Amino acid sequence: MALAQSLLNALRAPLKGFLKAWVEPRMIEPDPSELALDPSRPTLYVFPHPALSDALLLEILCQRHGLPPAQARVGLPGLELPASVALPVRPRRLWRRGRTFEAPFRQALEYLAEHDEADIQVLPVSVFWGRAPGKRFGFWRLLAADSWQLTGRLRRGLAVLINGKSVEVHFGAPLQLRDLLDERGPAVANRKGARLLRIHFRRMRTRVLGPDLSHRRTLIEGVAASPEVRRVIGELAVSEKRSVERLERRALRYGREIASNMTFPVLRFMDGLLRRLWNRLYDGVEVRGLDRVKALAGDHTLVYVPCHRSHIDYLLLSYVLYRDGLMPPHVAAGRNLNMLLVGPLLRRGGAFFMRRSFRDKPLYAAVFNEYLHRLLERGHPLEYFIEGGRSRSGRMLSPRPGMLSMTLRSYLRSAAGTSPPRLAFIPVYIGYERIIENASYQREMRGGKKRKESPWALLRVIGQLRQPFGKVAVNIGEPLSLGAFLDDTTMGWRDDASQAKPPWLNRAVPALGDELARRINGAAALNPVNLVALALLATPHHAIEVSLMKRQLGLLAALQRHCPGGEHTSLPQGDPSTWIDQVVSLGMIERRPHALGDILVATKEQSNLLVWYRNNVLHLFALAGLTAFAFRHARRHDLDSLHAQLGPAWPILARELFLSPVKLSVSLPVMLESLCQEGLLEYVDDNWQRPSELEAGEQLRLLARLMQPSLERGYLLLAILLAQPPGTLGREALAERSQQLTERLALLSGRDAPEFFDRTLFASLIVSLEGEGWIWEREEKLWFDERLRSAAQRTGELYDPALRHRLQLVSHG
């Protein structure tokens, strides 16, 4: 042993020189300059297990970044300690099992117990060789990569040689050893410190590598043999008069159809492939808010719920998480994507496939529910789209209850045990400056049939790679703890946790979906395209002077700074001039030179495309647009009259656009003050009024037109409903009649925008009216009282007489 140690000491200097020349950490988190180390206290570095390569790399990093040295000894009066230590690892060899393996802080803690003025800070260090996603795929790289198995000397040597350019180093928060001491003495404090550090290292490893992946076949067989699946098989054997063995084979077949087969080689391969794809497609992928995810990833089961705007969403979030040192999630994908070539690759990248409907398929539903429960129970991160499908209109769609209900029921099953799980939803907003589905969305919005996904469609997409697509933004919203949400919204839910379907489930699932949709919208990313779309589409003929466009873009950005539409919204870099140039370069608008000043114009096709991008962020300016609309034909208002006119409409808009439920009495004065600061309103004698300047008046009119389509749809729907006695029209009849009349209005007013008379918007509006208590359903008919008629009359005062007359003519056919 002494000879081996001597040889190791002799090799230490050349090995360190080799590492200094060869190793380039891909990620050091947090940045060493951000570590909250007290320079007056000795620093002791701690590793999760002994490894010479980790210790030498730390020594190099400490020298490079000015951290306390890791190779010297920590000197205190009467005590010397090694500057870096490792938690002991219980050996596998039987002849060494009898030894005692104690945490390495006993001596330091005994010293601190005798010297009240002294203290030592402990800094946890985790090093991952080969997990970093920047590398190329190959057999040797796979062999040398970090996993949940502790690596031996040969494998660690391979890791250093092969993955030296792809190392991740993660520092934990400093731990003060004195905080561990209590009346029980240093021995107990030593065990306590080791336990805290093991928990930290376990969470860090879970965050980076995810839970240990079970063998797919074992997982599927376990799902098929679960009590719930066996119960359904027994019921079907009686009702369908089929043999149990045949139904068991069907359950296994369903499991193979559903289950993912996530493998690290494919994750690494896809990382390299996607990195090249993003570099070719986009000018950059901007990510904000990942710190909120990293704070939860170690000790929470994470469920990512992004908005769904493009097929790219499936790949983009997994790539971003893997690139930034987080475990990619298992992603719920429609069975339509399980196609030749693409399906197997997606499955090995973490996708699990589901059918559009489970109706009349009780065995399939049982297998899917059990598979989802096992993923969540084992702590695997998940990702699914609560909207169900991609948004063809660009708006946030109403959440579908399916996956949310299954997740909630799985959580209740686990909560019924002795240790309730910690599950957090992670809302994610993904914003594009240009999507690859532009043409297909326009065709489908005009009534065209959705084309089935196929490898040949993928080849057509590859042909678009030479076109510019701008930047992509990935914004993380405010995480939602499921347990805390249920505590706030559902009294006594823990008492019903053992029930398969508690009575409050049908109320909790929609409430959960709406809250997640609001948090997704609250993290929206403004970009040059959607800002230009907001301004340009507010003009009558989709043409605007460059000078006015710059002022309007500046106004929109300023309003967002004064009154953010969400807690985690973001603005693009640059100024209005660079934003305009970016949109022109993407081919979304045209810039036409003119002797008196250039003009920005959108053709008919470009205008229809811009509607989708405007709708991505329209909710951020809902209150600003509604407030400006009140000054269209009335020059001045006091606060009471404004509140009376806007009060009935605002909650409906907030529900339709999934806005935070802030009371109008709170948010309206703030918005009025912001409009005054930007010169669009003036405050005179306790009244707000339009300014006399023409430019400010024009900007106010453009802002007001943002909400005009939504208000017109609401006006027509109410006019149709109130024209009949209560209990006359049902949901479908009201939505169909409203769609027909809105389409007629679009034709009469020259609007070529299929989104304006989208039937789903009227269905959502009916739900919002019902949610606010203005209408209710009884015997499949809609009922209302005089309160609705009075509110509609007050809201009607917002419209100028000409617009009100036109809407009334259309509503009466």
Side-chain angles (χ1 to χ4, degrees), residues 118-371:
D119 200 356
I120 298 174
Q121 54 192 348
V122 173
L123 186 65
V125 184
S126 301
V127 182
F128 297 93
W129 297 83
R131 189 274 172 210
K135 57 185 176 298
R136 298 179 299 278
F137 168 67
F139 170 75
W140 291 106
R141 292 179 179 275
L142 167 62
L143 182 65
D146 258 329
S147 68
W148 273 96
Q149 299 297 323
L150 294 178
T151 56
R153 291 183 178 88
L154 175 60
R155 189 168 180 179
R156 176 50 62 95
L158 285 173
V160 173
L161 288 172
I162 296 170
N163 296 314
K165 309 297 183 184
S166 305
V167 184
E168 286 188 16
V169 180
H170 296 265
F171 293 106
L175 172 68
Q176 308 303 321
L177 276 185
R178 179 165 294 282
D179 294 341
L180 301 176
L181 285 170
D182 56 26
E183 65 278 0
R184 291 175 294 179
V188 174
N190 189 36
R191 293 194 296 270
K192 180 180 177 182
R195 184 170 63 252
L196 290 174
L197 286 168
R198 284 195 178 95
I199 292 172
H200 164 79
F201 288 128
R202 177 88 184 175
R203 288 175 176 175
M204 181 59 66
R205 204 165 181 83
T206 299
R207 193 184 97 178
V208 174
L209 299 178
D212 200 3
L213 291 173
S214 175
H215 193 283
R216 181 171 183 263
R217 186 183 66 185
T218 305
L219 178 60
I220 293 172
E221 290 175 352
V223 167
S226 65
E228 180 62 21
V229 173
R230 298 290 304 173
R231 182 187 66 78
V232 175
I233 287 175
E235 292 176 355
L236 291 177
V238 174
S239 62
E240 296 184 0
K241 297 181 180 180
R242 297 182 184 273
S243 68
V244 171
E245 292 77 12
R246 183 175 180 180
L247 291 171
E248 288 174 345
R249 290 195 298 271
R250 187 191 299 177
L252 289 170
R253 187 171 69 250
Y254 286 154
R256 290 189 292 270
E257 175 189 320
I258 293 166
S260 72
N261 190 22
M262 181 181 283
T263 57
F264 280 103
V266 173
L267 289 178
R268 297 186 184 104
F269 167 75
M270 292 186 69
D271 170 73
L273 178 68
L274 293 175
R275 179 163 31 86
R276 292 175 177 84
L277 177 63
W278 305 148
N279 289 338
R280 182 175 288 271
L281 265 182
Y282 301 115
D283 296 333
V285 179
E286 299 177 346
V287 185
R288 302 176 183 89
L290 269 183
D291 290 344
R292 288 187 286 277
V293 180
K294 293 178 179 180
L296 298 172
D299 57 356
H300 282 72
T301 298
L302 301 183
V303 180
Y304 297 92
V305 282
C307 60
H308 200 10
R309 304 288 158 81
S310 169
H311 275 318
I312 297 295
D313 300 340
Y314 289 102
L315 306 172
L316 184 61
L317 182 57
S318 293
Y319 167 79
V320 164
L321 295 173
Y322 193 55
R323 184 195 68 181
D324 283 80
L326 289 162
M327 183 63 189
H330 287 68
V331 185
R335 196 172 63 158
N336 57 317
L337 294 179
N338 189 18
M339 52 188 168
L340 182 68
L341 301 178
V342 177
L345 186 63
L346 292 178
R347 192 184 294 276
R348 286 167 175 79
F352 62 97
F353 296 97
M354 60 185 299
R355 300 181 180 184
R356 288 292 181 188
S357 174
F358 296 0
R359 183 174 298 176
D360 300 326
K361 296 286 183 182
L363 182 55
Y364 180 87
V367 171
F368 189 92
N369 271 284
E370 184 64 27
Y371 174 74

Side-chain angles (χ1 to χ4, degrees), residues 539-578:
T539 62
H541 304 292
H542 302 160
I544 188 173
E545 296 173 330
V546 171
S547 57
L548 178 56
M549 173 64 85
K550 290 179 180 178
R551 292 197 302 274
Q552 195 67 8
L553 293 178
L555 168 67
L556 295 174
L559 288 176
Q560 197 56 213
R561 294 187 188 100
H562 294 319
C563 302
E567 188 176 356
H568 302 294
T569 55
S570 62
L571 283 164
Q573 297 178 347
D575 55 35
S577 295
T578 59

Side-chain angles (χ1 to χ4, degrees), residues 722-733:
L722 295 172
Q724 305 292 333
T728 303
L729 295 174
R731 290 176 182 273
E732 293 299 321

Side-chain angles (χ1 to χ4, degrees), residues 15-48:
L15 286 174
K16 184 175 178 179
F18 169 74
L19 289 178
K20 185 180 292 187
W22 177 247
V23 175
E24 295 179 7
R26 189 197 70 89
M27 174 185 288
I28 302 176
E29 189 181 68
D31 188 272
S33 62
E34 299 175 0
L35 293 172
L37 293 176
D38 186 344
S40 65
R41 294 177 179 176
T43 301
L44 185 64
Y45 298 95
V46 183
F47 295 101

